Amino acid sequence: MNFYAQSAQKAGRRFINGPKYSCSSCTRRLYSSGAVKENDIVLLKHRSSSSAPIITNPLKPGGKVNLVLDSINHEDIIGKAKREVVVSRKRVLYRIHEPTLAEYTDNSPRLVTPIYSQDANLIVSLLDINPVPPGSQSAGEDKLEIFEAGTGHGALTLHLARAIHAANAPLPMLPEAALESESLDMGFKRVKLDTQEDTQSQEQKEVKLAYEEWRSKRRAVIHTLDTSEKHSAHAEMVVRNFRKGLYFPHIDFHVGKIEDYLSPRLIENGQQPFLDHAILDLPGTHDYLDIVGKALKPDGSLLVFCPSITQIIDCIKHVKERRLPFFLEQTVEVGGAVGVGGREWDVRRVKPRALLKAEGEESPESVPESGDDEGWQIVCRPKVGVRISGGGFVGHFRKIVEFPARNVK
Ligand SMILES: C[S@@+](CC[C@H](N)C(=O)[O-])C[C@H]1O[C@@H](n2cnc3c(N)ncnc32)[C@H](O)[C@@H]1O
């Protein structure tokens, strides 16, 4: 008799079929008893080591989780209960979990470094988003619009989308017959829709219309933009794969330059600001403060995520030189080891990569120090290594409410 059965017997209850309930007298479930299904994504934790957990792809019959010199068949995971154990080809045990948002964004396969979950949570809390459910008395007319550039891995995007989730009405119930896999995007589910308007069935048209109507009535939206189509497409997949696209419908993905998105929107809006908040996580942040300053509503927050404190200083200088309507409310250092033990700092002069590229150079190391000061910046940051992963600085600017100039006698 195993441990679970023994404790169940001691407690005077019958133990049926695996450790699903540990408090069966009140049948309180300590975790979801739902079995893992095809297309689910799971997190696999090595049973006896603290090695990094593994996020699987959507599970499919015939699919495999490839490990170093080892593998696990998707079919061995499908049908198991969460927290059950699966055995790899080399007889290594892994426990099956449903990943939390943090585990998912920190561990899913990536093309670029994401903002890690602990930092993403801090950024979201700095924005102080208080979504009001639709239909409630305090729900106003205004749409909450948050702008993020660059999208990158989609990690911060997902955290932001979770924060606004409650502001939007539930998605319309769609006829089950119209829902099929392998077909056109409807965000939360993939719905089979003929791309040719004239060959779409009535039901397909209704499904599309219902979704589009719902989208047009969203009360909160995350606009996320990246110059790289590849990064944007990857991030979109990351978002879609989390809990079957739960947060996808709250996000609009854009590919292109910041100006090319914000300028036409400003024209559409009669040059009136329309963004409640903006977040920039990209190189050369200070170059975008002018246009973001125009699009941000008074008292809106602008958060800049920079690996080096000098990049925050560049933003401050730019705000001053260009007399932009921003006030730096706070600067927060983020990263896994902030506040723990002694911390080594990396302080050196570099030429930013963008500048090197433009000058046809290979890497910062390949550029000898010269007397020429143009384009050089000072890196001034905690050293990234075994003890510190990522990290950086968040500058929290707030848009100043501009008062009409007073006539001073
Ligand atoms: C560090 S990643 C962002 C990570 C993201 N915040 C996350 O949590 O996953 C930086 C991204 O900025 C994009 N990028 C670089 N320059 C840009 C620009 N001028 N406008 C928009 N995106 C840009 C890059 O393609 C890259 O995907």
Side-chain angles (χ1 to χ4, degrees), residues 349-351 355-356 359 361 364-377:
R349 273 170 26 112
V350 291
K351 260 195 174 182
L355 199 69
L356 287 171
E359 290 177 4
E361 297 284 353
E365 285 68 31
S366 69
V367 183
E369 277 244 15
S370 69
D372 149 38
D373 263 347
E374 203 170 317
W376 287 87
Q377 290 183 353

Side-chain angles (χ1 to χ4, degrees), residues 112-115 148-157 225-228 231 256-258 281-283 288:
V112 290
T113 308
I115 292 187
E148 180 204 22
T151 310
H153 184 59
L156 179 62
T157 323
L225 177 142
D226 205 296
T227 39
S228 160
H231 295 174
K257 292 187 186 156
I258 294 178
D281 176 15
L282 41 77
Y288 307 100

Side-chain angles (χ1 to χ4, degrees), residues 40-79:
D40 280 356
I41 282 183
V42 294
L43 179 94
L44 300 173
K45 282 190 185 163
H46 197 291
R47 262 259 317 237
S48 49
S49 95
S50 57
S51 54
I54 300 144
I55 297 278
T56 67
N57 286 328
L59 301 169
K60 305 251 185 263
K64 254 186 199 174
V65 181
N66 291 312
L67 308 165
V68 183
L69 304 173
D70 199 1
S71 62
I72 301 170
N73 291 328
H74 284 190
E75 274 152 23
D76 294 341
I77 306 173
I78 297 170

